C-alpha cells in the first residue's frame, strides 16, 4: 500500500511535467527539494522550493511541442517515513518532426509528512541521448519568441 502511494507521487512529478500541470508537480514536492542534474549539466545539486522547481521547468519544457517520460524498473525501499525509489526513464522531447531522447536512471527520495509522501530529493543519472541534441536550445528560443510576441 505505501509503495503504491510512493510510486504515485513519483509518477505525478513526470505526469505534471509532461502536461505542464505545475500544481500537480508542486502537490508532491516537499517544502525543500534537492535537485541534482549534475550528470547532465555539470551544475551541482540545488535546493529549491516547489514553486522554484516548477518555475525552472516552466522556462524550458513548454518550449517543446510535447514531452513524454516513460518510467520503468521501479525499486522502492521503504524505511519508516523515508522512501528511496530507483528507476529507469526514457524522456522524449518533440518539436515538429524532430525528437531529442534522453535515457537515464533516477534516484528519488520521499518523506512522509502528515500521511502524504513528498519528494525531497530528485537525482538524474544521465546515461545517453539520441536524436536532435539541438532541441533544448530550440525550446529556449521558442519560449523567447513567444515572450517577445506576447509583449507586443
Amino acid at each position: 500500500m505505501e509503495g503504491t502511494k510512493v510510486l504515485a507521487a513519483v509518477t505525478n512529478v513526470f505526469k505534471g511535467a509532461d502536461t505542464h500541470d505545475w500544481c500537480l508537480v508542486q502537490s508532491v514536492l516537499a517544502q525543500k527539494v534537492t535537485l541534482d542534474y549534475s550528470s547532465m549539466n555539470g551544475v551541482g545539486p540545488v535546493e529549491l522550493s516547489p514553486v522554484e522547481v516548477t518555475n525552472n521547468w516552466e522556462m524550458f519544457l513548454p518550449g517543446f511541442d510535447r514531452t513524454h517520460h516513460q518510467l520503468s524498473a521501479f525499486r522502492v525501499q521503504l524505511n519508516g517515513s523515508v522512501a528511496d525509489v530507483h528507476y529507469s526513464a526514457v524522456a522524449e522531447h518533440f518539436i515538429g518532426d524532430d525528437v531529442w531522447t534522453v535515457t537515464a536512471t533516477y534516484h528519488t527520495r520521499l518523506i512522509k509528512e502528515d500521511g502524504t509522501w513528498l519528494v525531497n530529493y530528485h537525482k538524474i543519472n544521465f546515461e545517453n541521448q539520441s536524436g536532435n541534441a539541438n532541441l533544448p536550445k530550440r525550446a529556449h528560443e521558442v519560449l523567447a519568441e513567444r515572450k517577445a510576441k506576447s509583449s507586443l
Side-chain angles (χ1 to χ4, degrees):
M1 183 65 150
E2 290 303 304
T4 301
K5 292 177 184 177
V6 166
L7 290 181
V10 170
T11 57
N12 279 338
V13 169
F14 293 94
K15 179 181 176 185
D18 285 339
T19 61
H20 308 159
D21 185 345
W22 310 124
C23 290
L24 176 61
V25 175
Q26 290 177 24
S27 75
V28 295
L29 300 181
Q31 287 190 345
K32 288 292 177 186
V33 181
T34 300
L35 289 184
D36 186 350
Y37 292 155
S38 57
S39 68
M40 262 192 87
N41 62 19
V43 177
V46 294
E47 187 175 88
L48 303 171
S49 71
V51 170
E52 291 169 324
V53 169
T54 56
N55 284 348
N56 284 339
W57 292 356
E58 194 171 10
M59 292 187 300
F60 179 60
L61 293 175
F64 297 99
D65 293 341
R66 66 185 174 92
T67 61
H68 176 72
H69 290 81
Q70 182 66 46
L71 312 178
S72 64
F74 290 100
R75 294 182 325 278
V76 178
Q77 297 170 307
L78 292 169
N79 186 9
S81 62
V82 176
D84 285 288
V85 186
H86 298 268
Y87 50 101
S88 299
V90 176
E92 297 175 307
H93 307 74
F94 300 89
I95 297 179
D97 292 333
D98 287 329
V99 62
W100 170 55
T101 303
V102 175
T103 304
T105 60
Y106 280 86
H107 173 203
T108 302
R109 180 173 294 133
L110 300 90
I111 54 173
K112 191 172 185 181
E113 292 183 356
D114 299 323
T116 302
W117 288 101
L118 301 171
V119 173
N120 72 343
Y121 177 81
H122 190 64
K123 179 181 182 180
I124 185 171
N125 301 298
F126 176 78
E127 292 179 349
N128 62 54
Q129 63 180 338
S130 61
N132 187 341
N134 292 319
L135 283 192
K137 180 182 178 201
R138 180 68 187 125
H140 284 293
E141 292 168 353
V142 165
L143 289 177
E145 291 166 7
R146 284 185 196 154
K147 187 176 181 180
K149 285 180 183 177
S150 70
S151 65
L152 295 178

mmCIF file of all heavy atoms in Angstrom, residues 4-41:
data_model
loop_
_atom_site.group_PDB
_atom_site.id
_atom_site.type_symbol
_atom_site.label_atom_id
_atom_site.label_comp_id
_atom_site.label_asym_id
_atom_site.label_seq_id
_atom_site.Cartn_x
_atom_site.Cartn_y
_atom_site.Cartn_z
ATOM 1 N N THR A 4 2.686 1.801 -3.288
ATOM 2 C CA THR A 4 1.809 2.335 -4.330
ATOM 3 C C THR A 4 1.682 3.847 -4.203
ATOM 4 O O THR A 4 1.723 4.568 -5.203
ATOM 5 C CB THR A 4 0.418 1.671 -4.239
ATOM 6 O OG1 THR A 4 0.581 0.262 -4.394
ATOM 7 C CG2 THR A 4 -0.514 2.199 -5.304
ATOM 8 N N LYS A 5 1.556 4.334 -2.981
ATOM 9 C CA LYS A 5 1.456 5.782 -2.753
ATOM 10 C C LYS A 5 2.757 6.484 -3.134
ATOM 11 O O LYS A 5 2.744 7.581 -3.703
ATOM 12 C CB LYS A 5 1.103 6.071 -1.296
ATOM 13 C CG LYS A 5 -0.295 5.632 -0.903
ATOM 14 C CD LYS A 5 -0.536 5.879 0.578
ATOM 15 C CE LYS A 5 -1.901 5.365 1.010
ATOM 16 N NZ LYS A 5 -2.107 5.550 2.453
ATOM 17 N N VAL A 6 3.876 5.868 -2.818
ATOM 18 C CA VAL A 6 5.184 6.422 -3.165
ATOM 19 C C VAL A 6 5.309 6.526 -4.684
ATOM 20 O O VAL A 6 5.695 7.573 -5.224
ATOM 21 C CB VAL A 6 6.318 5.557 -2.572
ATOM 22 C CG1 VAL A 6 7.659 5.905 -3.201
ATOM 23 C CG2 VAL A 6 6.370 5.711 -1.062
ATOM 24 N N LEU A 7 4.974 5.447 -5.385
ATOM 25 C CA LEU A 7 5.083 5.453 -6.844
ATOM 26 C C LEU A 7 4.126 6.452 -7.485
ATOM 27 O O LEU A 7 4.467 7.079 -8.497
ATOM 28 C CB LEU A 7 4.843 4.056 -7.407
ATOM 29 C CG LEU A 7 5.941 3.043 -7.123
ATOM 30 C CD1 LEU A 7 5.611 1.698 -7.751
ATOM 31 C CD2 LEU A 7 7.291 3.541 -7.592
ATOM 32 N N ALA A 8 2.962 6.638 -6.890
ATOM 33 C CA ALA A 8 2.018 7.636 -7.418
ATOM 34 C C ALA A 8 2.624 9.033 -7.335
ATOM 35 O O ALA A 8 2.515 9.831 -8.278
ATOM 36 C CB ALA A 8 0.694 7.573 -6.659
ATOM 37 N N ALA A 9 3.288 9.335 -6.230
ATOM 38 C CA ALA A 9 3.924 10.647 -6.087
ATOM 39 C C ALA A 9 5.025 10.823 -7.128
ATOM 40 O O ALA A 9 5.122 11.864 -7.784
ATOM 41 C CB ALA A 9 4.478 10.823 -4.676
ATOM 42 N N VAL A 10 5.862 9.803 -7.298
ATOM 43 C CA VAL A 10 6.958 9.883 -8.272
ATOM 44 C C VAL A 10 6.401 10.076 -9.679
ATOM 45 O O VAL A 10 6.857 10.955 -10.428
ATOM 46 C CB VAL A 10 7.859 8.628 -8.203
ATOM 47 C CG1 VAL A 10 8.844 8.604 -9.369
ATOM 48 C CG2 VAL A 10 8.587 8.570 -6.868
ATOM 49 N N THR A 11 5.435 9.275 -10.060
ATOM 50 C CA THR A 11 4.908 9.375 -11.421
ATOM 51 C C THR A 11 4.180 10.699 -11.640
ATOM 52 O O THR A 11 4.186 11.223 -12.760
ATOM 53 C CB THR A 11 3.991 8.186 -11.775
ATOM 54 O OG1 THR A 11 2.925 8.099 -10.834
ATOM 55 C CG2 THR A 11 4.780 6.884 -11.789
ATOM 56 N N ASN A 12 3.607 11.282 -10.586
ATOM 57 C CA ASN A 12 2.939 12.581 -10.740
ATOM 58 C C ASN A 12 3.931 13.714 -11.026
ATOM 59 O O ASN A 12 3.561 14.701 -11.667
ATOM 60 C CB ASN A 12 2.077 12.906 -9.525
ATOM 61 C CG ASN A 12 0.733 12.215 -9.588
ATOM 62 O OD1 ASN A 12 0.266 11.828 -10.662
ATOM 63 N ND2 ASN A 12 0.101 12.045 -8.442
ATOM 64 N N VAL A 13 5.166 13.572 -10.584
ATOM 65 C CA VAL A 13 6.185 14.566 -10.938
ATOM 66 C C VAL A 13 6.315 14.624 -12.459
ATOM 67 O O VAL A 13 6.285 15.703 -13.069
ATOM 68 C CB VAL A 13 7.548 14.233 -10.294
ATOM 69 C CG1 VAL A 13 8.653 15.115 -10.877
ATOM 70 C CG2 VAL A 13 7.487 14.362 -8.783
ATOM 71 N N PHE A 14 6.433 13.466 -13.080
ATOM 72 C CA PHE A 14 6.642 13.399 -14.527
ATOM 73 C C PHE A 14 5.356 13.659 -15.301
ATOM 74 O O PHE A 14 5.392 14.314 -16.348
ATOM 75 C CB PHE A 14 7.248 12.047 -14.900
ATOM 76 C CG PHE A 14 8.637 11.880 -14.359
ATOM 77 C CD1 PHE A 14 8.850 11.250 -13.139
ATOM 78 C CD2 PHE A 14 9.734 12.362 -15.052
ATOM 79 C CE1 PHE A 14 10.139 11.103 -12.631
ATOM 80 C CE2 PHE A 14 11.027 12.218 -14.553
ATOM 81 C CZ PHE A 14 11.221 11.594 -13.332
ATOM 82 N N LYS A 15 4.231 13.159 -14.790
ATOM 83 C CA LYS A 15 2.948 13.427 -15.442
ATOM 84 C C LYS A 15 2.687 14.930 -15.470
ATOM 85 O O LYS A 15 2.300 15.492 -16.496
ATOM 86 C CB LYS A 15 1.817 12.712 -14.697
ATOM 87 C CG LYS A 15 0.448 12.948 -15.278
ATOM 88 C CD LYS A 15 -0.622 12.234 -14.471
ATOM 89 C CE LYS A 15 -2.008 12.553 -14.983
ATOM 90 N NZ LYS A 15 -3.050 11.957 -14.141
ATOM 91 N N GLY A 16 2.933 15.597 -14.345
ATOM 92 C CA GLY A 16 2.746 17.040 -14.280
ATOM 93 C C GLY A 16 3.698 17.778 -15.197
ATOM 94 O O GLY A 16 3.329 18.768 -15.837
ATOM 95 N N ALA A 17 4.950 17.310 -15.282
ATOM 96 C CA ALA A 17 5.929 17.945 -16.172
ATOM 97 C C ALA A 17 5.487 17.803 -17.631
ATOM 98 O O ALA A 17 5.521 18.776 -18.392
ATOM 99 C CB ALA A 17 7.305 17.333 -15.964
ATOM 100 N N ASP A 18 5.033 16.615 -18.010
ATOM 101 C CA ASP A 18 4.623 16.383 -19.402
ATOM 102 C C ASP A 18 3.365 17.164 -19.790
ATOM 103 O O ASP A 18 3.220 17.559 -20.943
ATOM 104 C CB ASP A 18 4.390 14.891 -19.656
ATOM 105 C CG ASP A 18 5.687 14.103 -19.773
ATOM 106 O OD1 ASP A 18 6.740 14.711 -20.050
ATOM 107 O OD2 ASP A 18 5.641 12.870 -19.585
ATOM 108 N N THR A 19 2.471 17.383 -18.838
ATOM 109 C CA THR A 19 1.208 18.081 -19.133
ATOM 110 C C THR A 19 1.249 19.550 -18.726
ATOM 111 O O THR A 19 0.263 20.265 -18.884
ATOM 112 C CB THR A 19 0.027 17.395 -18.422
ATOM 113 O OG1 THR A 19 0.246 17.430 -17.002
ATOM 114 C CG2 THR A 19 -0.157 15.963 -18.893
ATOM 115 N N HIS A 20 2.398 19.978 -18.188
ATOM 116 C CA HIS A 20 2.578 21.355 -17.689
ATOM 117 C C HIS A 20 1.565 21.674 -16.594
ATOM 118 O O HIS A 20 1.129 22.820 -16.456
ATOM 119 C CB HIS A 20 2.503 22.383 -18.827
ATOM 120 C CG HIS A 20 3.421 22.061 -19.959
ATOM 121 N ND1 HIS A 20 3.238 22.566 -21.210
ATOM 122 C CD2 HIS A 20 4.537 21.274 -20.039
ATOM 123 C CE1 HIS A 20 4.188 22.112 -22.020
ATOM 124 N NE2 HIS A 20 4.980 21.322 -21.321
ATOM 125 N N ASP A 21 1.232 20.669 -15.808
ATOM 126 C CA ASP A 21 0.350 20.832 -14.656
ATOM 127 C C ASP A 21 1.237 21.087 -13.441
ATOM 128 O O ASP A 21 1.561 20.184 -12.675
ATOM 129 C CB ASP A 21 -0.511 19.577 -14.460
ATOM 130 C CG ASP A 21 -1.533 19.721 -13.345
ATOM 131 O OD1 ASP A 21 -1.409 20.663 -12.517
ATOM 132 O OD2 ASP A 21 -2.455 18.880 -13.294
ATOM 133 N N TRP A 22 1.649 22.341 -13.306
ATOM 134 C CA TRP A 22 2.606 22.709 -12.268
ATOM 135 C C TRP A 22 2.028 22.529 -10.870
ATOM 136 O O TRP A 22 2.769 22.231 -9.933
ATOM 137 C CB TRP A 22 3.120 24.130 -12.507
ATOM 138 C CG TRP A 22 3.583 24.321 -13.920
ATOM 139 C CD1 TRP A 22 3.154 25.266 -14.814
ATOM 140 C CD2 TRP A 22 4.544 23.544 -14.648
ATOM 141 N NE1 TRP A 22 3.783 25.117 -16.028
ATOM 142 C CE2 TRP A 22 4.643 24.069 -15.956
ATOM 143 C CE3 TRP A 22 5.330 22.438 -14.326
ATOM 144 C CZ2 TRP A 22 5.497 23.540 -16.925
ATOM 145 C CZ3 TRP A 22 6.173 21.916 -15.294
ATOM 146 C CH2 TRP A 22 6.250 22.458 -16.570
ATOM 147 N N CYS A 23 0.720 22.679 -10.727
ATOM 148 C CA CYS A 23 0.085 22.446 -9.412
ATOM 149 C C CYS A 23 0.215 20.980 -9.012
ATOM 150 O O CYS A 23 0.453 20.679 -7.842
ATOM 151 C CB CYS A 23 -1.382 22.869 -9.439
ATOM 152 S SG CYS A 23 -1.606 24.654 -9.552
ATOM 153 N N LEU A 24 0.062 20.068 -9.974
ATOM 154 C CA LEU A 24 0.226 18.637 -9.681
ATOM 155 C C LEU A 24 1.652 18.363 -9.226
ATOM 156 O O LEU A 24 1.866 17.670 -8.229
ATOM 157 C CB LEU A 24 -0.117 17.791 -10.909
ATOM 158 C CG LEU A 24 0.109 16.278 -10.766
ATOM 159 C CD1 LEU A 24 -0.756 15.701 -9.652
ATOM 160 C CD2 LEU A 24 -0.151 15.571 -12.095
ATOM 161 N N VAL A 25 2.628 18.921 -9.934
ATOM 162 C CA VAL A 25 4.020 18.716 -9.543
ATOM 163 C C VAL A 25 4.241 19.242 -8.134
ATOM 164 O O VAL A 25 4.788 18.545 -7.269
ATOM 165 C CB VAL A 25 4.992 19.401 -10.534
ATOM 166 C CG1 VAL A 25 6.428 19.291 -10.038
ATOM 167 C CG2 VAL A 25 4.864 18.802 -11.927
ATOM 168 N N GLN A 26 3.811 20.475 -7.885
ATOM 169 C CA GLN A 26 4.025 21.078 -6.570
ATOM 170 C C GLN A 26 3.349 20.287 -5.460
ATOM 171 O O GLN A 26 3.861 20.236 -4.338
ATOM 172 C CB GLN A 26 3.525 22.525 -6.560
ATOM 173 C CG GLN A 26 4.379 23.445 -7.399
ATOM 174 C CD GLN A 26 3.834 24.863 -7.452
ATOM 175 O OE1 GLN A 26 3.101 25.291 -6.568
ATOM 176 N NE2 GLN A 26 4.195 25.591 -8.494
ATOM 177 N N SER A 27 2.248 19.629 -5.768
ATOM 178 C CA SER A 27 1.499 18.896 -4.739
ATOM 179 C C SER A 27 2.250 17.681 -4.210
ATOM 180 O O SER A 27 1.902 17.160 -3.150
ATOM 181 C CB SER A 27 0.126 18.461 -5.282
ATOM 182 O OG SER A 27 0.254 17.360 -6.176
ATOM 183 N N VAL A 28 3.268 17.220 -4.935
ATOM 184 C CA VAL A 28 4.017 16.037 -4.498
ATOM 185 C C VAL A 28 5.453 16.386 -4.109
ATOM 186 O O VAL A 28 6.285 15.491 -3.936
ATOM 187 C CB VAL A 28 3.982 14.910 -5.553
ATOM 188 C CG1 VAL A 28 2.564 14.385 -5.725
ATOM 189 C CG2 VAL A 28 4.572 15.356 -6.879
ATOM 190 N N LEU A 29 5.745 17.682 -3.956
ATOM 191 C CA LEU A 29 7.079 18.103 -3.562
ATOM 192 C C LEU A 29 7.080 18.598 -2.124
ATOM 193 O O LEU A 29 6.146 19.269 -1.679
ATOM 194 C CB LEU A 29 7.586 19.235 -4.476
ATOM 195 C CG LEU A 29 7.704 18.911 -5.967
ATOM 196 C CD1 LEU A 29 8.232 20.127 -6.716
ATOM 197 C CD2 LEU A 29 8.578 17.688 -6.209
ATOM 198 N N ALA A 30 8.146 18.261 -1.401
ATOM 199 C CA ALA A 30 8.335 18.753 -0.031
ATOM 200 C C ALA A 30 8.647 20.251 -0.087
ATOM 201 O O ALA A 30 8.891 20.817 -1.161
ATOM 202 C CB ALA A 30 9.478 17.989 0.640
ATOM 203 N N GLN A 31 8.682 20.895 1.089
ATOM 204 C CA GLN A 31 8.937 22.339 1.137
ATOM 205 C C GLN A 31 10.284 22.700 0.540
ATOM 206 O O GLN A 31 10.448 23.787 -0.002
ATOM 207 C CB GLN A 31 8.837 22.859 2.564
ATOM 208 C CG GLN A 31 7.416 22.910 3.065
ATOM 209 C CD GLN A 31 7.310 23.650 4.389
ATOM 210 O OE1 GLN A 31 8.305 23.891 5.069
ATOM 211 N NE2 GLN A 31 6.095 24.010 4.745
ATOM 212 N N LYS A 32 11.254 21.823 0.639
ATOM 213 C CA LYS A 32 12.561 21.996 0.006
ATOM 214 C C LYS A 32 12.909 20.706 -0.712
ATOM 215 O O LYS A 32 12.775 19.619 -0.151
ATOM 216 C CB LYS A 32 13.651 22.338 1.031
ATOM 217 C CG LYS A 32 13.531 23.739 1.587
ATOM 218 C CD LYS A 32 13.835 24.780 0.523
ATOM 219 C CE LYS A 32 13.651 26.186 1.056
ATOM 220 N NZ LYS A 32 13.795 27.188 -0.010
ATOM 221 N N VAL A 33 13.353 20.846 -1.954
ATOM 222 C CA VAL A 33 13.707 19.693 -2.779
ATOM 223 C C VAL A 33 15.123 19.887 -3.298
ATOM 224 O O VAL A 33 15.446 20.947 -3.844
ATOM 225 C CB VAL A 33 12.751 19.558 -3.984
ATOM 226 C CG1 VAL A 33 13.112 18.338 -4.821
ATOM 227 C CG2 VAL A 33 11.301 19.507 -3.541
ATOM 228 N N THR A 34 15.949 18.877 -3.119
ATOM 229 C CA THR A 34 17.281 18.903 -3.710
ATOM 230 C C THR A 34 17.185 18.274 -5.090
ATOM 231 O O THR A 34 16.810 17.113 -5.225
ATOM 232 C CB THR A 34 18.289 18.129 -2.843
ATOM 233 O OG1 THR A 34 18.343 18.741 -1.551
ATOM 234 C CG2 THR A 34 19.671 18.137 -3.477
ATOM 235 N N LEU A 35 17.474 19.086 -6.116
ATOM 236 C CA LEU A 35 17.516 18.595 -7.491
ATOM 237 C C LEU A 35 18.976 18.435 -7.879
ATOM 238 O O LEU A 35 19.777 19.353 -7.682
ATOM 239 C CB LEU A 35 16.865 19.586 -8.457
ATOM 240 C CG LEU A 35 15.359 19.752 -8.402
ATOM 241 C CD1 LEU A 35 14.905 20.708 -9.504
ATOM 242 C CD2 LEU A 35 14.641 18.434 -8.536
ATOM 243 N N ASP A 36 19.298 17.290 -8.436
ATOM 244 C CA ASP A 36 20.676 17.038 -8.853
ATOM 245 C C ASP A 36 20.684 16.569 -10.305
ATOM 246 O O ASP A 36 20.415 15.410 -10.597
ATOM 247 C CB ASP A 36 21.320 16.001 -7.938
ATOM 248 C CG ASP A 36 22.801 15.797 -8.223
ATOM 249 O OD1 ASP A 36 23.293 16.318 -9.247
ATOM 250 O OD2 ASP A 36 23.453 15.116 -7.416
ATOM 251 N N TYR A 37 20.973 17.510 -11.206
ATOM 252 C CA TYR A 37 21.096 17.216 -12.629
ATOM 253 C C TYR A 37 22.561 17.288 -13.052
ATOM 254 O O TYR A 37 22.870 17.480 -14.217
ATOM 255 C CB TYR A 37 20.271 18.197 -13.463
ATOM 256 C CG TYR A 37 18.770 18.056 -13.306
ATOM 257 C CD1 TYR A 37 17.927 19.123 -13.554
ATOM 258 C CD2 TYR A 37 18.197 16.856 -12.927
ATOM 259 C CE1 TYR A 37 16.551 19.001 -13.418
ATOM 260 C CE2 TYR A 37 16.834 16.720 -12.794
ATOM 261 C CZ TYR A 37 16.014 17.797 -13.049
ATOM 262 O OH TYR A 37 14.657 17.668 -12.916
ATOM 263 N N SER A 38 23.471 17.171 -12.083
ATOM 264 C CA SER A 38 24.892 17.365 -12.362
ATOM 265 C C SER A 38 25.421 16.398 -13.429
ATOM 266 O O SER A 38 26.319 16.758 -14.185
ATOM 267 C CB SER A 38 25.724 17.273 -11.086
ATOM 268 O OG SER A 38 25.521 16.036 -10.437
ATOM 269 N N SER A 39 24.876 15.209 -13.523
ATOM 270 C CA SER A 39 25.363 14.264 -14.527
ATOM 271 C C SER A 39 24.985 14.697 -15.941
ATOM 272 O O SER A 39 25.577 14.244 -16.911
ATOM 273 C CB SER A 39 24.838 12.852 -14.250
ATOM 274 O OG SER A 39 23.449 12.778 -14.450
ATOM 275 N N MET A 40 24.016 15.599 -16.053
ATOM 276 C CA MET A 40 23.597 16.107 -17.364
ATOM 277 C C MET A 40 24.185 17.472 -17.673
ATOM 278 O O MET A 40 24.566 17.752 -18.802
ATOM 279 C CB MET A 40 22.069 16.224 -17.436
ATOM 280 C CG MET A 40 21.421 15.059 -18.101
ATOM 281 S SD MET A 40 19.711 15.379 -18.482
ATOM 282 C CE MET A 40 19.884 16.150 -20.080
ATOM 283 N N ASN A 41 24.191 18.353 -16.666
ATOM 284 C CA ASN A 41 24.553 19.746 -16.943
ATOM 285 C C ASN A 41 25.826 20.216 -16.243
ATOM 286 O O ASN A 41 26.231 21.361 -16.420
ATOM 287 C CB ASN A 41 23.388 20.680 -16.617
ATOM 288 C CG ASN A 41 23.003 20.655 -15.156
ATOM 289 O OD1 ASN A 41 23.758 20.233 -14.296
ATOM 290 N ND2 ASN A 41 21.793 21.129 -14.874
#
